[in-house]
Amino acid sequence: MAFKPANHIQDLQYFGEFGGVNPSISDSSTYTFLSAKTMFDTFEGNADGCYLYSRHSSPSNLYLGQALAAMEGTETANVTASGMGAITGVIMQLCKANDHIVCSRTIYGGTYAFLKKFTPSFGIETSFVDITNLDAVEAAINNKTKVLYCESVSNPLLEVADLKALAALAKKHNLKLVVDNTFSPLSISPQHLGADVTIHSLTKFINGSSDTVGGVVCGTQDFINELRDVNTGACMLLGSTMDSMRASSILKNLRTLHIRIQQHSKNALYLAERFEQIGLKTVYPGLPSHPSHHVYKSMLNEEYGYGGMLTIDAGNISKANELMELMQNKNLGYLAVSLGFYKTLFSAPGSSTSSEIPEEEQKEMGLSDGLIRFSIGLDADIARTYDTMVECMEEVGVL
Ligand code: PLP
């Protein structure tokens, strides 16, 4: 398949059935057939272009899937009701009882809980490793390992996975490299670096308006067909289907993603550089001080920058909480989990999005209780935002 570059989403041309500039929304859960034979063939997976039942697929979901596949450069994609719907479906499709996964130890708390607490009861075990230590990754692989799983930029520590090197390891050991690219859409294209499957929580930057949850699995046609198989497909059978109305609204928001990501990245870099200069412990992959800055740089689609996520350390949880409450009072953003909104969002992951990870493990991986994770917004006047943030930090004694 010819690669459609990530920034050419606008090159996709879909007409509505009445010539509308947006495709019509498929507002049906079930579809008619002119002949019973075609219905049978569709069940068997042999009637291309026919729709059966919307848990399987719908025209609106296919449009969004096509656009996301074009963005990631994969053959196709399957959209799901949430990011977790994508992650759990992929894992359950690729792994059966007695299989093993090697996974980054810094990942979204829900993914961690799924692999640590949920899948072992199905006989699927996971070893959690420092994904930036390739020797440790390789040492954790055994003859039962089927999947190497990571986030390209990890939640919440912003560790960066060297996807080319991990793809080489996966190839060597005949594993599937599954990459959650939620924190770095457009900036990083995992498929072009060797990933087998790329996942997103669409809830975040891609939709960008914090009005829905959603997810996507981007991969080969064969793998997506497996996920949708009526007899054995995890997406079909576990039922994490996106609603057509949502698919349509996310598709419309996707069209401005390239502009939004550029602004998120520009604002985040501006703040990160200045936070670091005034002595705050700042983590941002665009800073040369980030331990994997060069790795990110080597993978970067330059025009999109290093993304909108950064962290600072406020020292302890009470200072972090005080600072976040004050910043919200000053209208600098919202004290809320999630990311990718037009407003800045901030939260303390240790007691929120990563609370599934036991305290001891949090410490071991470097997740301090004063850590604040910022998803930097689309502010037009970032210099003013910076000045007000610094005033807040001085007021609560973080500076
Ligand atoms: N992956 C990452 C990196 C996330 O941060 C999240 C949610 O915060 C998810 C996956 C799960 O996505 P969703 O909340 O859409 O199910």
Side-chain angles (χ1 to χ4, degrees):
M1 186 193 124
F3 173 48
K4 297 174 189 162
N7 60 346
H8 288 184
I9 292 162
Q10 65 274 28
D11 290 348
L12 296 175
Q13 193 181 48
Y14 305 130
F15 297 122
E17 63 202 281
F18 303 110
V21 294
N22 291 303
S24 308
I25 301 172
S26 47
D27 194 23
S28 294
S29 59
T30 189
Y31 299 81
T32 58
F33 289 86
L34 293 179
S35 88
K37 163 94 174 57
T38 319
M39 181 185 271
F40 176 76
D41 289 345
T42 308
F43 259 98
E44 297 283 293
N46 298 327
D48 245 10
C50 287
Y51 297 96
L52 179 68
Y53 185 64
S54 287
R55 175 155 46 78
H56 187 243
S57 69
S58 70
S60 298
N61 287 11
L62 289 185
Y63 280 134
L64 177 60
Q66 276 173 26
L68 290 163
M71 181 184 99
E72 287 295 3
T74 59
E75 283 176 14
T76 188
N78 189 54
V79 294
T80 52
S82 67
M84 284 310 291
I87 292 164
T88 54
V90 166
I91 298 291
M92 297 310 273
Q93 196 68 42
L94 292 175
C95 296
K96 307 295 168 210
N98 289 323
D99 287 344
H100 173 252
I101 297 168
V102 174
C103 178
S104 168
R105 65 182 179 175
T106 79
I107 47 168
Y108 166 59
T111 312
Y112 175 87
F114 181 68
L115 295 175
K116 179 93 174 180
K117 300 265 164 54
F118 193 94
T119 49
S121 56
F122 293 90
I124 301 165
E125 297 294 334
T126 299
S127 300
F128 294 93
V129 295
D130 175 354
I131 204 73
T132 63
N133 179 345
L134 294 170
D135 292 336
V137 174
E138 186 157 29
I141 296 170
N142 63 41
N143 59 6
K144 293 180 172 175
T145 312
K146 293 282 168 4
V147 167
L148 185 50
Y149 185 98
C150 66
E151 293 169 1
S152 33
V153 179
S154 79
N155 183 359
L157 293 180
L158 310 183
E159 283 182 354
V160 175
D162 183 343
L163 297 180
K164 262 192 201 159
L166 292 168
L169 270 186
K171 203 164 182 202
K172 178 173 165 196
H173 295 276
N174 200 21
L175 317 177
K176 296 285 182 211
L177 176 61
V178 178
V179 179
D180 178 339
N181 199 28
T182 300
F183 272 36
S184 45
L186 296 181
S187 297
I188 295 179
S189 305
Q191 182 72 22
H192 298 297
L193 301 162
D196 295 290
V197 179
T198 301
I199 292 174
H200 283 277
S201 165
L202 301 178
T203 315
K204 313 294 168 21
F205 289 102
I206 290 181
N207 184 53
S209 54
S210 291
D211 55 359
T212 185
V213 289
V216 69
V217 181
C218 302
T220 61
Q221 188 69 55
D222 283 349
F223 182 61
I224 300 300
N225 288 349
E226 277 177 41
L227 284 173
R228 286 195 192 128
D229 188 281
V230 292
N231 290 302
T232 56
C235 282
M236 179 65 182
L237 298 175
L238 298 176
S240 61
T241 309
M242 179 176 279
D243 181 71
S244 291
M245 303 275 188
R246 277 305 180 194
S248 159
S249 71
I250 295 172
L251 178 62
K252 284 179 265 187
N253 288 354
L254 176 66
R255 294 167 183 160
T256 56
L257 179 66
H258 55 304
I259 301 165
R260 289 186 280 115
I261 288 292
Q262 283 166 348
Q263 186 73 7
H264 284 299
S265 292
K266 191 172 141 222
N267 284 351
L269 180 63
Y270 182 97
L271 293 177
E273 282 175 347
R274 281 155 188 83
F275 287 163
E276 188 170 61
Q277 266 164 24
I278 58 173
L280 277 172
K281 205 169 155 199
T282 309
V283 175
Y284 181 66
L287 293 176
S289 60
H290 188 289
S292 301
H293 174 66
H294 60 288
V295 175
Y296 199 132
K297 198 168 181 187
S298 73
M299 300 190 291
L300 182 68
N301 295 321
E302 252 171 47
E303 61 272 42
Y304 301 109
Y306 292 87
M309 303 302 295
L310 66 85
T311 69
I312 62 163
D313 197 331
N316 59 54
I317 185 67
S318 56
K319 270 195 185 162
N321 288 341
E322 220 185 316
L323 176 60
M324 291 190 292
E325 285 166 15
L326 185 60
M327 288 193 297
Q328 178 162 258
N329 286 342
K330 302 256 183 191
N331 194 22
L332 289 169
Y334 296 139
L335 169 44
V337 297
S338 202
L339 41 134
F341 200 34
Y342 80 104
K343 290 280 260 196
T344 294
L345 301 178
F346 31 81
S347 56
S351 50
S352 59
T353 47
S354 297
S355 57
E356 295 91 340
I357 302 172
E359 234 172 78
E360 238 170 61
E361 285 180 41
Q362 289 191 17
K363 270 202 193 116
E364 205 176 298
M365 65 174 70
L367 205 179
S368 58
D369 68 352
L371 191 88
I372 302 179
R373 186 190 76 181
F374 286 79
S375 163
I376 303 301
L378 300 173
D379 310 30
D381 186 352
I382 196 67
R384 198 182 64 172
T385 301
Y386 170 74
D387 289 342
T388 318
M389 280 182 174
V390 168
E391 280 167 30
C392 293
M393 288 172 193
E394 282 167 349
E395 196 171 326
V396 302
V398 167
L399 279 177

